[in-house]
Amino acid sequence: MDRQQFEHLRDLHGKRIDSDIRFVQGQGSSAVFENVEILNEDGWAAQLHGTYSSKRNSIIYVVVLDGIGPICRICVRGSLHGSHGRTHKHALSAESCPRQNLQIDVTSRPELDALNAQEVFRRFCVDAKILFKGTFYDPEGT
């Protein structure tokens, strides 16, 4: 996938998630969900994965394409990432990005700092033009 294809998929209208978002206990203080399908009319096999750490109050959402790898990651209150701080977005900018863990195109997103997991998810859906038709279960309840 190149940057033009990434932008086309990002901006594509009619994307939706019909599944519920339900975090389950992961390792340590983390709660996770995996393989939530992002339906789209272009037929890309896209899934959303999420991690919430109660210890750090951090949230990570990752969009992954089958056969390609990660194409977008939102990190809120995560690990410090150079001058981009702890809250930032990684995006695909070249075909090699999924293999390099999206390290080229990183943008600070300080406006997400004060948001909880559900608010970040809603913002992600609006920014990515995804209609969410399921129920979001607060990861604090896991």
Side-chain angles (χ1 to χ4, degrees):
M1 170 173 269
D2 61 25
R3 181 64 187 193
Q4 184 177 357
Q5 291 170 309
F6 168 80
E7 289 176 0
H8 172 77
L9 180 58
R10 180 197 63 203
D11 297 338
L12 182 67
H13 289 275
K15 294 187 302 281
R16 70 180 198 281
I17 294 174
D18 291 341
S19 303
D20 293 342
I21 301 295
R22 187 183 305 266
F23 291 81
V24 296
Q25 189 60 43
Q27 295 180 349
S29 62
S30 293
V32 299
F33 69 84
E34 295 179 322
N35 301 319
V36 170
E37 188 175 16
I38 302 172
L39 301 166
N40 63 86
E41 59 191 41
D42 281 5
W44 288 99
Q47 294 86 38
L48 180 66
H49 305 271
T51 304
Y52 171 77
S53 170
S54 59
K55 183 177 181 179
R56 296 180 64 165
N57 190 29
S58 66
I59 306 151
I60 300 172
Y61 295 123
V62 182
V63 176
V64 177
L65 293 185
D66 283 357
I68 294 175
I71 62 166
C72 178
R73 180 171 55 251
I74 304 287
C75 303
V76 177
R77 297 178 298 274
S79 298
L80 185 60
H81 199 82
S83 63
H84 302 292
R86 294 181 59 218
T87 300
H88 50 271
K89 175 187 173 198
H90 298 254
L92 183 140
S93 62
E95 283 187 43
S96 62
C97 286
R99 292 186 305 276
Q100 297 171 345
N101 202 23
L102 303 174
Q103 295 301 314
I104 298 172
D105 186 352
V106 182
T107 306
S108 297
R109 295 294 304 267
E111 73 278 10
L112 302 176
D113 263 341
L115 303 182
N116 65 32
Q118 184 171 18
E119 292 166 334
V120 173
F121 177 76
R122 284 183 186 154
R123 185 59 141 326
F124 162 77
C125 286
V126 168
D127 291 350
K129 297 171 185 63
I130 296 172
L131 174 64
F132 178 55
K133 298 176 84 178
T135 301
F136 186 97
Y137 293 90
D138 186 349
E140 285 288 333
T142 58

